[in-house]
Amino acid sequence: MLADAEANGEGVDFYATLDEAEPLLATIPDIPITYLAARPIDLPPSWPVADMRAFIAARQAEFADRYPRGRLVEVQSSHDIDLEQPELVVTEIEQILAPG
């Protein structure tokens, strides 16, 4: 997993990015967010799949819960939710942009 992250085409240093973002967690604005989370979480069968799925789902919920108006929406889809269920993505964006 670490090798995959380090081999990213954009050359993003994910760990440095997380370190840079850490101080900003105390200043999270009160904005609506929706986290569309693909289910089931697709993982290699050689990994401890049940443990990893539980860990990832907990981190996703933790992220959404940081925002006063955060929502976690579990979607039966691959990681490509925007390609497989574009109508859902549009509906969620419209919900965020709706007044009141």
Side-chain angles (χ1 to χ4, degrees):
M1 187 168 107
L2 185 56
D4 288 343
E6 292 171 352
N8 68 79
E10 296 86 11
V12 175
D13 183 340
F14 294 107
Y15 299 105
T17 301
L18 291 173
D19 290 342
E20 291 172 12
E22 185 71 29
L24 301 174
L25 292 176
T27 61
I28 291 176
D30 182 10
I31 58 172
I33 67 124
T34 300
Y35 190 131
L36 299 178
R39 296 291 188 266
I41 299 168
D42 193 24
L43 298 167
S46 61
W47 289 14
V49 174
D51 290 341
M52 290 295 296
R53 284 182 175 162
F55 177 81
I56 293 167
R59 298 297 77 74
Q60 291 169 334
E62 182 181 292
F63 176 83
D65 288 346
R66 286 182 179 155
Y67 294 84
R69 294 185 283 159
R71 283 185 340 117
L72 175 65
V73 177
E74 295 182 350
V75 181
Q76 294 301 307
S77 175
S78 75
H79 186 72
D80 297 318
I81 297 169
D82 57 329
L83 301 176
E84 294 176 13
Q85 297 190 41
E87 67 286 343
L88 172 68
V89 175
V90 170
T91 298
E92 291 296 333
I93 292 169
E94 290 173 343
Q95 183 174 334
I96 287 173
L97 297 176

